Structures are given as C-alpha cells and as structure tokens.
Amino acid sequence: MKSGFVSITGRPNVGKSTFLNAVLGQKVSIVTSKPQTTRNRILGIKTLEEAQIIFIDTPGIHKPKHMLGSMMVKEARQAIREVDLVLYMVEPAAPSHADFIIVSMLKKADKPVILLINKADTVKKPALLPVIDAYSKLYSFDEVVPISARKGDGLDIVLDKIKERLPEGPKYYPDDLVTDRLERFMVSEIIREKIMKETEEEVPHSVAVEVLEWTEGAIVHIGANIYVEKESQKGIIIGKSGGRLKAIGSAARADIERLLGTKIYLELWVKVRSGWRRSRAALSELGFE
C-alpha cells in the first residue's frame, strides 16, 4: 500500500480546483471563471486499491493586496514544504513572472515535482512543444504531463505517475471519505461560489460567508450571513427588489440539497463588515488562520 500528500500548486485560475473535482469524481472545491476563487486549503482524498492519495488544493500564488491575500499565499507556500509530491499546474503558454517566482519556491522545497500543462485541449499539439521546452529550462521536472481537467484527459496518467512516486504507508482516511471539510464549510463555499458567478468587478472578492444557523429536521434549516466591505456592495448583491439575492439563494439551495441529500430551507442575510479582509480579528472569526 502506498499513501502520501500531494499539493496542487500554480497561479490563480489555471484549473487546480477543476482538476481536483475531476480526479475525485465529485465536487469538493468550488470553481468559477474568476481568479483567486480558492481561499482555504481543501483536502481531497482519492482511495484506490493500491494507494491513497491525499490532494491539497491550495489558493493560487499571487501578489497579495491585503491580509487575506497574504494568508492565502502563505497556505500555498506551506503546502509545498509539507507534502510528498507537488503537482505544478500551468497553462499552455510561456512562463510568466509569477511562474518564475513559483519555480524558485519549488527549488527551495526540493520535492518531486510533476508539471501539469492544463487546458492542453485549447491548443494544437505542436504548440505544446515550446511550452514544455521553456518550463524544462526553468526546472528539472520529474514528469511533464499535458492534461485537460475540464475534459478529463490525461488524469489516469497523472494518477499513475503519482503512485510511482508515493512512499509506502497506511491509509490515513476511511475508504468512503473524499474530503476532510465539514458540511458547514462546504455549504458556505457553495453560497460564495454562486455570489462570485452572479457579481462582477471587486464585489466577488469582497465577500465572506458565515453559516450561523443549522437546524436538523424533516427539512434542514440553514441561515448564513454574507459579509461585504461596503454599503454599495450590499446593494449589488441584494439586487433590484431582492432579485439577485433570490437567484443566489436558489442556485445555492439546489447544490446544497445535492450535497446533503435532503431538502433544505436557506435564509441569507447581507451585512457590511468594513475592511474584513485587512483585519486579523475578523479573518480569525471567519475561519482564516
């Protein structure tokens, strides 16, 4: 039996969460088209007959603009140091300045690294060769695997390459567990995902969700606060005659019912919490460490 921890590392919006969901065969990490969607470290557990792979989906490495951003980057850096293997995910294009920074982190960590070129289905195969060459000059990767997380192409190859490099060890988690995250966290993330999809500009990144009420019964009653930093953002999320908040709640409710396997009653309240992304106390209360 082999087992170990694998970090999924890369810039924001390269497809790390899409990859994790595809490998696990179910959604454990929210996905939107906006960068920096993932804020917390998400554990995804893939149990196979001969191995257990514990994936760590980390926030995208970027230049932080506030304390929340600094915490996100710290999470990603720490994951690189702690794991047995790193999956470094990039897009099929020349390395950016951010990629040079990430590669320098990989060199310091001195871990086995597999380069995943995601979204390979969006370019012709000959176009991948200069990309592979450019990255190979930056770092001596253990493997280079072109994939399409969205289409599921190449994922079996990635799993085989991971298994080859994992140490022998026990199962850390039961066979039927796919994430270590509690249902409350998953519900708050689903609500935040729907807000991100419904809003534009700075609004999605100014939002935090806190589940405050959870009452079990024939129908599960869930109440959550949506925090924003400005009064104007509150109006945007509520929308004309409450229309946008109603759409967010309806979309979230459908996903939450699929997650829990039961009917729910969802109540959402929008509140202003000025500067919460820059307040250590507020971040701690909202579950960021």
Side-chain angles (χ1 to χ4, degrees):
M1 187 71 187
K2 287 188 167 188
S3 61
F5 293 79
V6 178
S7 171
I8 311 168
T9 299
R11 291 183 288 109
N13 227 28
V14 293
K16 299 182 294 296
S17 297
T18 301
F19 169 82
L20 179 61
N21 293 338
V23 164
L24 298 179
Q26 69 181 79
K27 187 173 182 175
V28 299
S29 194
I30 66 171
V31 177
T32 76
S33 60
K34 297 176 176 68
Q36 298 165 38
T37 297
T38 300
R39 286 177 174 169
N40 304 77
R41 183 189 299 209
I42 308 288
L43 220 64
I45 304 150
K46 182 72 173 179
T47 302
L48 305 164
E49 191 174 332
E50 70 284 14
Q52 188 173 73
I53 307 167
I54 299 103
F55 291 99
I56 302 174
D57 183 18
T58 60
I61 295 174
H62 61 285
K63 188 175 181 179
K65 297 178 180 177
H66 38 65
M67 193 173 290
L68 172 61
S70 297
M71 287 182 171
M72 289 162 63
V73 173
K74 184 181 176 183
E75 283 268 15
R77 285 176 178 268
Q78 190 172 329
I80 293 173
R81 295 194 297 267
E82 293 176 349
V83 295
D84 300 293
L85 172 73
V86 177
L87 298 180
Y88 175 35
M89 185 174 291
V90 301
E91 294 180 314
S96 67
H97 177 67
D99 288 304
F100 288 110
I101 293 171
I102 295 170
V103 167
S104 69
M105 293 180 195
L106 298 176
K107 289 176 179 176
K108 289 177 185 175
D110 192 28
K111 303 281 185 180
V113 182
I114 297 175
L115 178 68
L116 302 185
I117 303 176
N118 192 24
K119 307 178 186 179
D121 57 311
T122 62
V123 298
K124 294 182 179 178
K125 284 188 178 180
L128 291 173
L129 297 178
V131 176
I132 293 170
D133 183 58
Y135 276 99
S136 297
K137 287 175 180 175
L138 295 181
Y139 190 84
S140 180
F141 295 100
D142 291 73
E143 295 283 351
V144 179
V145 186
I147 66 165
S148 170
R150 185 175 61 87
K151 290 188 172 181
D153 297 341
L155 303 189
D156 288 342
I157 296 172
V158 177
L159 289 175
D160 287 340
K161 300 298 182 185
I162 292 170
K163 285 187 288 184
E164 288 173 14
R165 287 163 178 79
L166 284 185
E168 290 186 2
K171 288 182 181 178
Y172 291 94
Y173 296 94
D175 288 358
D176 59 348
L177 198 66
V178 293
T179 184
D180 68 332
R181 287 293 185 175
L182 298 175
E183 288 176 340
R184 275 179 177 254
F185 172 81
M186 301 292 287
V187 165
S188 69
E189 284 288 271
I190 288 170
I191 296 166
R192 189 168 66 85
E193 178 189 59
K194 304 314 175 191
I195 295 167
M196 293 192 78
K197 289 182 175 180
E198 283 281 339
T199 56
E200 299 294 338
E201 306 301 332
E202 178 62 11
V203 176
H205 300 294
S206 302
V207 168
V209 178
E210 183 181 27
V211 175
L212 294 173
E213 295 183 17
W214 190 298
T215 307
E216 301 278 351
I219 295 178
V220 179
H221 184 284
I222 298 172
N225 279 347
I226 297 169
Y227 295 111
V228 292
E229 293 189 309
K230 299 175 183 176
E231 196 68 38
S232 59
Q233 295 167 344
K234 178 179 178 179
I236 290 169
I237 289 178
I238 293 172
K240 188 177 180 180
S241 303
R244 181 171 284 122
L245 186 61
K246 187 182 248 185
I248 289 166
S250 179
R253 185 174 64 252
D255 275 14
I256 295 167
E257 287 181 343
R258 277 192 288 272
L259 171 72
L260 302 180
T262 186
K263 290 287 184 184
I264 71 157
Y265 178 75
L266 179 64
E267 279 191 285
L268 300 175
W269 301 276
V270 186
K271 299 186 177 183
V272 178
R273 191 163 187 172
S274 181
W276 70 265
R277 288 183 294 175
R278 292 172 171 80
S279 165
R280 187 172 295 278
L283 288 167
S284 178
E285 285 176 28
L286 293 169
F288 298 99
E289 298 177 4

